[in-house]
Short mmCIF file of all heavy atoms in Angstrom, two decimals:
data_model
loop_
_atom_site.label_atom_id
_atom_site.label_comp_id
_atom_site.label_asym_id
_atom_site.label_seq_id
_atom_site.Cartn_x
_atom_site.Cartn_y
_atom_site.Cartn_z
N MET U 851 87.60 105.80 96.32
CA MET U 851 86.33 105.98 96.98
C MET U 851 86.32 107.27 97.80
O MET U 851 85.44 108.07 97.68
CB MET U 851 86.02 104.78 97.86
CG MET U 851 84.73 104.89 98.60
SD MET U 851 84.45 103.42 99.55
CE MET U 851 82.78 103.71 99.98
N VAL U 852 87.29 107.46 98.63
CA VAL U 852 87.36 108.65 99.48
C VAL U 852 88.49 109.53 98.97
O VAL U 852 89.58 109.07 98.75
CB VAL U 852 87.64 108.26 100.95
CG1 VAL U 852 87.78 109.50 101.80
CG2 VAL U 852 86.54 107.37 101.47
N GLY U 853 88.19 110.78 98.80
CA GLY U 853 89.23 111.70 98.32
C GLY U 853 89.26 112.95 99.17
O GLY U 853 88.52 113.10 100.14
N LEU U 854 90.11 113.84 98.78
CA LEU U 854 90.24 115.10 99.51
C LEU U 854 88.97 115.92 99.42
O LEU U 854 88.63 116.64 100.36
CB LEU U 854 91.43 115.90 98.99
CG LEU U 854 92.80 115.33 99.30
CD1 LEU U 854 93.88 116.19 98.65
CD2 LEU U 854 93.04 115.26 100.79
N ASP U 855 88.24 115.81 98.30
CA ASP U 855 87.00 116.56 98.16
C ASP U 855 85.99 116.14 99.21
O ASP U 855 85.31 116.97 99.80
CB ASP U 855 86.41 116.37 96.76
CG ASP U 855 87.28 117.00 95.68
OD1 ASP U 855 88.00 117.97 96.01
OD2 ASP U 855 87.24 116.53 94.54
N ASP U 856 85.88 114.81 99.45
CA ASP U 856 84.96 114.31 100.48
C ASP U 856 85.36 114.86 101.84
O ASP U 856 84.53 115.27 102.63
CB ASP U 856 84.98 112.78 100.54
CG ASP U 856 84.27 112.14 99.36
OD1 ASP U 856 83.39 112.81 98.79
OD2 ASP U 856 84.60 110.99 99.02
N GLU U 857 86.65 114.85 102.11
CA GLU U 857 87.14 115.31 103.41
C GLU U 857 86.83 116.79 103.61
O GLU U 857 86.40 117.20 104.68
CB GLU U 857 88.64 115.06 103.52
CG GLU U 857 89.14 115.12 104.92
CD GLU U 857 90.54 114.57 105.07
OE1 GLU U 857 91.00 113.83 104.19
OE2 GLU U 857 91.16 114.91 106.08
N LYS U 858 87.02 117.60 102.58
CA LYS U 858 86.72 119.02 102.68
C LYS U 858 85.22 119.24 102.89
O LYS U 858 84.83 120.10 103.67
CB LYS U 858 87.19 119.76 101.43
CG LYS U 858 88.69 119.91 101.35
CD LYS U 858 89.08 120.60 100.06
CE LYS U 858 90.59 120.64 99.90
NZ LYS U 858 90.98 121.16 98.61
N ASP U 859 84.38 118.47 102.19
CA ASP U 859 82.94 118.61 102.33
C ASP U 859 82.50 118.33 103.76
O ASP U 859 81.68 119.03 104.32
CB ASP U 859 82.20 117.65 101.39
CG ASP U 859 82.29 118.07 99.94
OD1 ASP U 859 82.62 119.25 99.68
OD2 ASP U 859 82.03 117.22 99.06
N PHE U 860 83.03 117.27 104.36
CA PHE U 860 82.57 116.87 105.67
C PHE U 860 83.22 117.67 106.79
O PHE U 860 82.71 117.71 107.88
CB PHE U 860 82.80 115.38 105.88
CG PHE U 860 81.90 114.55 105.00
CD1 PHE U 860 82.43 113.77 104.01
CD2 PHE U 860 80.52 114.59 105.15
CE1 PHE U 860 81.60 113.02 103.19
CE2 PHE U 860 79.69 113.86 104.34
CZ PHE U 860 80.23 113.07 103.36
N ARG U 861 84.33 118.31 106.54
CA ARG U 861 84.95 119.12 107.57
C ARG U 861 84.53 120.58 107.46
O ARG U 861 84.94 121.40 108.26
CB ARG U 861 86.48 119.02 107.49
CG ARG U 861 86.95 117.65 107.94
CD ARG U 861 88.44 117.58 107.89
NE ARG U 861 88.86 116.24 108.22
CZ ARG U 861 89.47 115.91 109.35
NH1 ARG U 861 89.75 116.81 110.24
NH2 ARG U 861 89.82 114.67 109.58
N GLY U 862 83.73 120.89 106.43
CA GLY U 862 83.27 122.26 106.24
C GLY U 862 82.41 122.73 107.39
O GLY U 862 81.78 121.95 108.08
N ARG U 863 82.39 124.01 107.63
CA ARG U 863 81.65 124.58 108.75
C ARG U 863 80.18 124.75 108.36
O ARG U 863 79.84 124.88 107.21
CB ARG U 863 82.24 125.95 109.10
CG ARG U 863 83.71 125.87 109.34
CD ARG U 863 84.04 126.27 110.73
NE ARG U 863 85.46 126.18 110.92
CZ ARG U 863 85.99 125.55 111.94
NH1 ARG U 863 85.25 124.95 112.79
NH2 ARG U 863 87.29 125.51 112.06
N GLY U 864 79.35 124.74 109.40
CA GLY U 864 77.99 125.17 109.17
C GLY U 864 76.96 124.10 108.98
O GLY U 864 76.52 123.49 109.94
N SER U 865 76.61 123.82 107.78
CA SER U 865 75.34 123.22 107.45
C SER U 865 75.17 121.75 107.80
O SER U 865 76.02 120.91 107.50
CB SER U 865 75.07 123.41 105.96
OG SER U 865 75.97 122.63 105.22
N LYS U 866 74.12 121.49 108.46
CA LYS U 866 73.51 120.18 108.60
C LYS U 866 74.48 119.06 108.99
O LYS U 866 74.69 118.11 108.26
CB LYS U 866 72.76 119.83 107.34
CG LYS U 866 71.73 120.87 106.97
CD LYS U 866 71.05 120.58 105.68
CE LYS U 866 70.13 121.73 105.31
NZ LYS U 866 69.53 121.54 104.04
N ILE U 867 75.03 119.16 110.14
CA ILE U 867 76.00 118.17 110.62
C ILE U 867 75.35 116.80 110.77
O ILE U 867 75.95 115.78 110.44
CB ILE U 867 76.61 118.64 111.96
CG1 ILE U 867 77.42 119.91 111.74
CG2 ILE U 867 77.47 117.56 112.58
CD1 ILE U 867 77.87 120.58 112.99
N LYS U 868 74.11 116.81 111.22
CA LYS U 868 73.40 115.53 111.43
C LYS U 868 73.24 114.77 110.12
O LYS U 868 73.44 113.55 110.07
CB LYS U 868 72.04 115.79 112.07
CG LYS U 868 71.36 114.55 112.58
CD LYS U 868 70.15 114.92 113.40
CE LYS U 868 69.58 113.68 114.07
NZ LYS U 868 68.49 114.01 114.97
N GLU U 869 72.90 115.47 109.04
CA GLU U 869 72.75 114.83 107.74
C GLU U 869 74.09 114.29 107.24
O GLU U 869 74.15 113.21 106.66
CB GLU U 869 72.16 115.81 106.73
CG GLU U 869 70.70 116.08 106.95
CD GLU U 869 70.13 117.03 105.92
OE1 GLU U 869 70.71 117.14 104.81
OE2 GLU U 869 69.11 117.66 106.22
N LYS U 870 75.14 115.04 107.47
CA LYS U 870 76.46 114.59 107.05
C LYS U 870 76.86 113.34 107.81
O LYS U 870 77.45 112.42 107.25
CB LYS U 870 77.49 115.70 107.26
CG LYS U 870 77.32 116.87 106.32
CD LYS U 870 78.31 117.97 106.62
CE LYS U 870 78.10 119.17 105.73
NZ LYS U 870 79.08 120.23 106.00
N HIS U 871 76.54 113.30 109.11
CA HIS U 871 76.86 112.13 109.93
C HIS U 871 76.10 110.91 109.42
O HIS U 871 76.66 109.82 109.31
CB HIS U 871 76.52 112.40 111.40
CG HIS U 871 76.86 111.26 112.29
ND1 HIS U 871 75.91 110.35 112.67
CD2 HIS U 871 78.03 110.87 112.85
CE1 HIS U 871 76.49 109.44 113.44
NE2 HIS U 871 77.77 109.73 113.56
N LYS U 872 74.82 111.09 109.08
CA LYS U 872 74.02 109.97 108.55
C LYS U 872 74.60 109.47 107.24
O LYS U 872 74.67 108.27 106.98
CB LYS U 872 72.57 110.39 108.35
CG LYS U 872 71.74 110.38 109.59
CD LYS U 872 70.30 110.66 109.25
CE LYS U 872 69.43 110.55 110.47
NZ LYS U 872 68.01 110.75 110.14
N ASP U 873 75.00 110.40 106.38
CA ASP U 873 75.59 110.03 105.09
C ASP U 873 76.88 109.25 105.30
O ASP U 873 77.13 108.24 104.64
CB ASP U 873 75.83 111.29 104.25
CG ASP U 873 76.34 110.97 102.87
OD1 ASP U 873 75.77 110.05 102.23
OD2 ASP U 873 77.30 111.62 102.42
N LEU U 874 77.71 109.72 106.22
CA LEU U 874 78.96 109.02 106.51
C LEU U 874 78.70 107.64 107.10
O LEU U 874 79.41 106.68 106.80
CB LEU U 874 79.82 109.84 107.48
CG LEU U 874 80.60 110.96 106.84
CD1 LEU U 874 81.21 111.85 107.90
CD2 LEU U 874 81.68 110.42 105.93
N LYS U 875 77.66 107.53 107.92
CA LYS U 875 77.31 106.24 108.51
C LYS U 875 76.96 105.23 107.41
O LYS U 875 77.39 104.07 107.45
CB LYS U 875 76.14 106.42 109.47
CG LYS U 875 75.85 105.25 110.34
CD LYS U 875 74.80 105.61 111.38
CE LYS U 875 74.55 104.45 112.31
NZ LYS U 875 73.57 104.79 113.34
N LYS U 876 76.22 105.69 106.41
CA LYS U 876 75.86 104.82 105.28
C LYS U 876 77.11 104.44 104.48
O LYS U 876 77.28 103.29 104.09
CB LYS U 876 74.86 105.52 104.36
CG LYS U 876 73.49 105.66 104.97
CD LYS U 876 72.57 106.45 104.06
CE LYS U 876 71.26 106.75 104.75
NZ LYS U 876 70.38 107.59 103.91
N LYS U 877 77.99 105.41 104.26
CA LYS U 877 79.21 105.13 103.50
C LYS U 877 80.12 104.16 104.25
O LYS U 877 80.76 103.31 103.64
CB LYS U 877 79.97 106.43 103.21
CG LYS U 877 79.34 107.26 102.13
CD LYS U 877 80.17 108.49 101.82
CE LYS U 877 79.58 109.29 100.69
NZ LYS U 877 80.46 110.40 100.30
N VAL U 878 80.17 104.26 105.59
CA VAL U 878 80.98 103.35 106.39
C VAL U 878 80.42 101.93 106.27
O VAL U 878 81.18 100.97 106.12
CB VAL U 878 81.04 103.80 107.87
CG1 VAL U 878 81.56 102.70 108.76
CG2 VAL U 878 81.90 105.04 108.00
N THR U 879 79.11 101.79 106.32
CA THR U 879 78.49 100.47 106.19
C THR U 879 78.84 99.83 104.85
O THR U 879 79.21 98.66 104.79
CB THR U 879 76.96 100.58 106.34
OG1 THR U 879 76.67 101.19 107.59
CG2 THR U 879 76.30 99.22 106.26
N VAL U 880 78.75 100.61 103.78
CA VAL U 880 79.09 100.10 102.45
C VAL U 880 80.57 99.74 102.39
O VAL U 880 80.94 98.68 101.86
CB VAL U 880 78.73 101.14 101.36
CG1 VAL U 880 79.30 100.75 100.01
CG2 VAL U 880 77.23 101.32 101.28
N ALA U 881 81.42 100.58 102.94
CA ALA U 881 82.86 100.33 102.92
C ALA U 881 83.20 99.07 103.72
O ALA U 881 84.09 98.30 103.34
CB ALA U 881 83.63 101.53 103.47
N GLU U 882 82.50 98.84 104.84
CA GLU U 882 82.74 97.64 105.64
C GLU U 882 82.35 96.39 104.86
O GLU U 882 83.03 95.36 104.93
CB GLU U 882 81.97 97.70 106.96
CG GLU U 882 82.59 98.64 107.95
CD GLU U 882 81.76 98.82 109.21
OE1 GLU U 882 80.53 98.56 109.18
OE2 GLU U 882 82.35 99.23 110.23
N GLN U 883 81.26 96.47 104.11
CA GLN U 883 80.84 95.32 103.29
C GLN U 883 81.86 95.05 102.19
O GLN U 883 82.19 93.91 101.91
CB GLN U 883 79.46 95.57 102.69
CG GLN U 883 78.35 95.54 103.70
CD GLN U 883 77.02 95.99 103.13
OE1 GLN U 883 76.95 96.50 102.02
NE2 GLN U 883 75.96 95.82 103.92
N GLN U 884 82.35 96.11 101.55
CA GLN U 884 83.37 95.94 100.51
C GLN U 884 84.66 95.40 101.10
O GLN U 884 85.33 94.58 100.50
CB GLN U 884 83.63 97.27 99.81
CG GLN U 884 82.52 97.72 98.93
CD GLN U 884 82.79 99.06 98.29
OE1 GLN U 884 83.73 99.76 98.65
NE2 GLN U 884 81.95 99.45 97.34
N ARG U 885 84.99 95.85 102.30
CA ARG U 885 86.22 95.41 102.96
C ARG U 885 86.20 93.92 103.26
O ARG U 885 87.24 93.26 103.27
CB ARG U 885 86.42 96.22 104.25
CG ARG U 885 87.62 95.84 105.06
CD ARG U 885 88.90 96.34 104.46
NE ARG U 885 90.01 95.97 105.33
CZ ARG U 885 91.19 95.60 104.90
NH1 ARG U 885 91.46 95.60 103.61
NH2 ARG U 885 92.14 95.26 105.73
N SER U 886 85.01 93.37 103.51
CA SER U 886 84.93 91.95 103.81
C SER U 886 85.32 91.09 102.61
O SER U 886 85.78 89.95 102.79
CB SER U 886 83.53 91.57 104.29
OG SER U 886 82.60 91.74 103.26
N SER U 887 85.17 91.64 101.40
CA SER U 887 85.58 90.87 100.21
C SER U 887 86.90 91.35 99.60
O SER U 887 87.64 90.57 99.04
CB SER U 887 84.48 90.91 99.14
OG SER U 887 84.29 92.23 98.70
N LYS U 888 87.18 92.65 99.73
CA LYS U 888 88.43 93.22 99.20
C LYS U 888 89.34 93.54 100.38
O LYS U 888 89.05 94.43 101.15
CB LYS U 888 88.15 94.50 98.42
CG LYS U 888 87.30 94.31 97.20
CD LYS U 888 87.05 95.64 96.53
CE LYS U 888 86.16 95.50 95.33
NZ LYS U 888 85.87 96.78 94.70
N ARG U 889 90.44 92.84 100.50
CA ARG U 889 91.30 92.99 101.66
C ARG U 889 92.59 93.77 101.36
O ARG U 889 93.59 93.62 102.06
CB ARG U 889 91.65 91.62 102.23
CG ARG U 889 90.46 90.79 102.65
CD ARG U 889 89.71 91.40 103.79
NE ARG U 889 90.55 91.41 104.99
CZ ARG U 889 90.18 91.93 106.14
NH1 ARG U 889 89.01 92.50 106.26
NH2 ARG U 889 90.98 91.90 107.17
N GLY U 890 92.55 94.62 100.37
CA GLY U 890 93.75 95.37 99.99
C GLY U 890 93.94 96.62 100.83
O GLY U 890 93.09 97.02 101.62
N PRO U 891 95.07 97.27 100.62
CA PRO U 891 95.37 98.48 101.41
C PRO U 891 94.45 99.66 101.09
O PRO U 891 94.16 100.48 101.96
CB PRO U 891 96.82 98.80 101.04
CG PRO U 891 97.08 98.09 99.76
CD PRO U 891 96.17 96.91 99.74
N LYS U 892 93.94 99.74 99.86
CA LYS U 892 93.06 100.85 99.51
C LYS U 892 91.73 100.76 100.25
O LYS U 892 91.24 101.75 100.78
CB LYS U 892 92.81 100.91 98.01
CG LYS U 892 91.94 102.09 97.61
CD LYS U 892 91.90 102.31 96.15
CE LYS U 892 90.99 103.40 95.68
NZ LYS U 892 90.44 104.32 96.58
N SER U 893 91.16 99.56 100.32
CA SER U 893 89.89 99.41 101.03
C SER U 893 90.06 99.70 102.52
O SER U 893 89.19 100.29 103.16
CB SER U 893 89.28 98.03 100.81
OG SER U 893 90.09 97.03 101.37
N TRP U 894 91.19 99.31 103.08
CA TRP U 894 91.47 99.58 104.49
C TRP U 894 91.61 101.08 104.72
O TRP U 894 91.05 101.62 105.67
CB TRP U 894 92.75 98.85 104.92
CG TRP U 894 93.18 99.18 106.31
CD1 TRP U 894 92.67 98.67 107.46
CD2 TRP U 894 94.19 100.11 106.69
NE1 TRP U 894 93.31 99.22 108.54
CE2 TRP U 894 94.25 100.10 108.10
CE3 TRP U 894 95.06 100.93 105.99
CZ2 TRP U 894 95.13 100.90 108.80
CZ3 TRP U 894 95.93 101.72 106.69
CH2 TRP U 894 95.97 101.71 108.08
N TYR U 895 92.33 101.76 103.84
CA TYR U 895 92.53 103.20 103.95
C TYR U 895 91.20 103.94 103.84
O TYR U 895 90.91 104.85 104.62
CB TYR U 895 93.51 103.69 102.87
CG TYR U 895 93.70 105.18 102.88
CD1 TYR U 895 94.54 105.79 103.82
CD2 TYR U 895 93.05 105.99 101.97
CE1 TYR U 895 94.71 107.17 103.85
CE2 TYR U 895 93.20 107.37 101.99
CZ TYR U 895 94.03 107.95 102.92
OH TYR U 895 94.19 109.31 102.95
N ASP U 896 90.38 103.56 102.85
CA ASP U 896 89.08 104.20 102.66
C ASP U 896 88.19 104.03 103.89
O ASP U 896 87.58 104.99 104.36
CB ASP U 896 88.37 103.64 101.43
CG ASP U 896 89.03 104.06 100.13
OD1 ASP U 896 89.83 105.02 100.14
OD2 ASP U 896 88.73 103.43 99.10
N LEU U 897 88.14 102.83 104.42
CA LEU U 897 87.32 102.56 105.59
C LEU U 897 87.81 103.37 106.80
O LEU U 897 87.02 103.98 107.52
CB LEU U 897 87.32 101.07 105.91
CG LEU U 897 86.51 100.63 107.12
CD1 LEU U 897 85.04 100.99 106.95
CD2 LEU U 897 86.67 99.13 107.34
N ARG U 898 89.09 103.39 107.01
CA ARG U 898 89.68 104.12 108.13
C ARG U 898 89.39 105.61 108.02
O ARG U 898 89.01 106.27 109.00
CB ARG U 898 91.18 103.87 108.18
CG ARG U 898 91.86 104.52 109.39
CD ARG U 898 93.32 104.29 109.36
NE ARG U 898 93.87 104.95 108.17
CZ ARG U 898 95.14 105.17 107.95
NH1 ARG U 898 96.03 104.76 108.80
NH2 ARG U 898 95.56 105.78 106.86
N THR U 899 89.53 106.17 106.84
CA THR U 899 89.28 107.59 106.61
C THR U 899 87.82 107.93 106.87
O THR U 899 87.51 108.92 107.53
CB THR U 899 89.69 107.99 105.19
OG1 THR U 899 91.06 107.65 104.98
CG2 THR U 899 89.50 109.48 104.95
N LEU U 900 86.92 107.09 106.35
CA LEU U 900 85.49 107.34 106.56
C LEU U 900 85.14 107.28 108.04
O LEU U 900 84.35 108.09 108.54
CB LEU U 900 84.66 106.31 105.79
CG LEU U 900 84.55 106.54 104.29
CD1 LEU U 900 83.91 105.34 103.61
CD2 LEU U 900 83.75 107.80 103.99
N LYS U 901 85.70 106.33 108.75
CA LYS U 901 85.41 106.21 110.18
C LYS U 901 85.91 107.43 110.95
O LYS U 901 85.25 107.91 111.88
CB LYS U 901 86.00 104.93 110.76
CG LYS U 901 85.20 103.70 110.38
CD LYS U 901 85.73 102.48 111.08
CE LYS U 901 84.82 101.29 110.84
NZ LYS U 901 85.24 100.13 111.64
N LYS U 902 87.07 107.94 110.58
CA LYS U 902 87.60 109.13 111.24
C LYS U 902 86.71 110.34 110.98
O LYS U 902 86.44 111.13 111.88
CB LYS U 902 89.02 109.42 110.77
CG LYS U 902 90.05 108.49 111.35
CD LYS U 902 91.43 108.85 110.87
CE LYS U 902 92.47 107.90 111.43
NZ LYS U 902 93.83 108.27 110.97
N LEU U 903 86.25 110.50 109.74
CA LEU U 903 85.37 111.61 109.40
C LEU U 903 84.05 111.49 110.15
O LEU U 903 83.50 112.50 110.63
CB LEU U 903 85.12 111.66 107.90
CG LEU U 903 86.32 112.05 107.04
CD1 LEU U 903 85.99 111.88 105.57
CD2 LEU U 903 86.74 113.47 107.33
N LYS U 904 83.55 110.28 110.27
CA LYS U 904 82.30 110.05 110.99
C LYS U 904 82.46 110.43 112.47
O LYS U 904 81.57 111.05 113.06
CB LYS U 904 81.90 108.58 110.87
CG LYS U 904 80.59 108.24 111.53
CD LYS U 904 80.28 106.77 111.33
CE LYS U 904 79.51 106.26 112.50
NZ LYS U 904 79.51 104.83 112.60
N LEU U 905 83.60 110.11 113.06
CA LEU U 905 83.85 110.48 114.46
C LEU U 905 83.94 112.00 114.63
O LEU U 905 83.48 112.54 115.64
CB LEU U 905 85.13 109.83 114.97
CG LEU U 905 85.02 108.36 115.32
CD1 LEU U 905 86.39 107.80 115.66
CD2 LEU U 905 84.06 108.15 116.46
N VAL U 906 84.51 112.68 113.66
CA VAL U 906 84.58 114.14 113.71
C VAL U 906 83.16 114.72 113.72
O VAL U 906 82.85 115.62 114.52
CB VAL U 906 85.39 114.70 112.52
CG1 VAL U 906 85.23 116.21 112.40
CG2 VAL U 906 86.85 114.34 112.66
N MET U 907 82.30 114.20 112.87
CA MET U 907 80.91 114.67 112.82
C MET U 907 80.19 114.35 114.12
O MET U 907 79.41 115.15 114.63
CB MET U 907 80.15 114.04 111.65
CG MET U 907 80.54 114.56 110.30
SD MET U 907 80.22 116.32 110.15
CE MET U 907 81.87 116.91 109.86
N LYS U 908 80.44 113.19 114.68
CA LYS U 908 79.80 112.81 115.95
C LYS U 908 80.24 113.75 117.07
O LYS U 908 79.42 114.16 117.90
CB LYS U 908 80.15 111.37 116.30
CG LYS U 908 79.39 110.84 117.48
CD LYS U 908 79.67 109.38 117.70
CE LYS U 908 78.88 108.85 118.88
NZ LYS U 908 79.10 107.42 119.08
N ASP U 909 81.51 114.10 117.09
CA ASP U 909 82.01 115.04 118.09
C ASP U 909 81.34 116.41 117.94
O ASP U 909 80.98 117.05 118.93
CB ASP U 909 83.53 115.20 117.98
CG ASP U 909 84.29 113.99 118.48
OD1 ASP U 909 83.69 113.16 119.19
OD2 ASP U 909 85.49 113.88 118.14
N GLU U 910 81.18 116.85 116.71
CA GLU U 910 80.53 118.15 116.48
C GLU U 910 79.07 118.10 116.90
O GLU U 910 78.53 119.08 117.41
CB GLU U 910 80.68 118.56 115.02
CG GLU U 910 82.07 119.00 114.67
CD GLU U 910 82.21 119.58 113.28
OE1 GLU U 910 81.20 120.11 112.75
OE2 GLU U 910 83.31 119.50 112.72
N LEU U 911 78.42 116.95 116.68
CA LEU U 911 77.02 116.81 117.11
C LEU U 911 76.92 116.88 118.63
O LEU U 911 75.99 117.50 119.17
CB LEU U 911 76.46 115.47 116.64
CG LEU U 911 75.89 115.39 115.25
CD1 LEU U 911 75.51 113.97 114.90
CD2 LEU U 911 74.70 116.30 115.10
N SER U 912 77.85 116.25 119.32
CA SER U 912 77.79 116.23 120.77
C SER U 912 78.11 117.59 121.39
O SER U 912 77.69 117.88 122.50
CB SER U 912 78.73 115.17 121.33
OG SER U 912 80.07 115.50 121.08
N LYS U 913 78.82 118.43 120.67
CA LYS U 913 79.14 119.77 121.16
C LYS U 913 77.90 120.67 121.17
O LYS U 913 77.82 121.56 121.99
CB LYS U 913 80.22 120.42 120.30
CG LYS U 913 81.59 119.86 120.52
CD LYS U 913 82.60 120.54 119.62
CE LYS U 913 83.97 119.91 119.75
NZ LYS U 913 84.92 120.54 118.82
N LYS U 914 76.98 120.42 120.26
CA LYS U 914 75.79 121.29 120.15
C LYS U 914 74.65 120.83 120.97
O LYS U 914 74.41 120.00 121.58
CB LYS U 914 75.36 121.37 118.69
CG LYS U 914 76.37 122.12 117.87
CD LYS U 914 75.89 122.39 116.51
CE LYS U 914 76.95 123.22 115.80
NZ LYS U 914 76.52 123.75 114.59
#
């Protein structure tokens, strides 16, 4: 679900941080729903990674 390409996209400089944060928020919600039924290490890793990326975007939003 989450790969290095996603991480590079969301950590990239410049464009539309607010839109990226909204997109990550939606992905976190979906990942949390999947996590409630799939309790394996991959779903946990994906959810954790998405939440970290979302926090990075939130920090960048608060800086501006």
